[in-house]
Amino acid sequence: QVQLVESGGGLVQAGGSLRLSCAASGRTFSSYALGWFRQAPGKEREFVAAIRWSGGSTYYADSVKGRFTVSRGSVKNPLYLQMNSLKPEDTAVYYCAAAQYGQAFQWTNSRDYYYWGRGTQVTVSS
């Protein structure tokens, strides 16, 4: 099994930046998708960004394109999310997630990921 732990959240003013990290232990990530999702109060969990460990292909929600960058790290710390130009609507609990993907894998579908961290709070003030 894979265990994931997020870090790097905090309180920032609009226009500021944060860098989230995801530490991991467990199986190899050679065939894994690694993603970031977020959930705001009263909202359902939504896709933010994802990356394929092998090859590094990336995927972004339209709401964060041009502002957020997802990247790979080491096997132990495999996932980062650089968030720039933060907006109040970015306020949410951010989760890292992982899954072994296949041809039917949907990169933006939270239900296709089966390893999840506990979340880190990001609050953006206006």
Side-chain angles (χ1 to χ4, degrees):
Q1 294 184 351
V2 175
Q3 293 79 46
L4 305 173
V5 180
E6 306 91 340
S7 63
L11 173 64
V12 298
Q13 295 187 25
S17 299
L18 284 174
R19 184 174 175 84
L20 304 184
S21 300
C22 182
S25 62
R27 299 173 62 185
T28 179
F29 289 89
S30 61
S31 62
Y32 274 74
L34 304 172
W36 289 100
F37 293 79
R38 66 187 182 187
Q39 188 165 21
K43 303 291 185 180
E44 294 187 353
R45 187 170 298 178
E46 66 173 345
F47 170 77
V48 177
I51 189 167
R52 185 169 62 181
W53 180 259
S54 178
S57 298
T58 57
Y59 308 85
Y60 294 95
D62 289 341
S63 60
V64 305
K65 286 181 179 178
R67 300 189 297 121
F68 291 9
T69 302
V70 63
S71 60
R72 297 174 297 172
S74 66
V75 173
K76 192 168 185 176
N77 298 280
L79 188 63
Y80 297 93
L81 184 68
Q82 179 65 46
M83 304 186 295
N84 298 327
S85 302
L86 284 163
K87 305 174 181 179
E89 51 262 45
D90 294 319
T91 295
V93 176
Y94 283 70
Y95 301 87
C96 62
Q100 190 172 29
Y101 60 84
Q103 291 183 329
F105 187 78
Q106 295 180 267
W107 293 81
T108 63
N109 187 356
S110 64
R111 298 180 66 180
D112 277 12
Y113 294 77
Y114 46 84
Y115 297 116
W116 291 87
R118 306 293 285 270
T120 184
Q121 177 70 48
V122 172
T123 303
V124 184
S125 62
S126 59

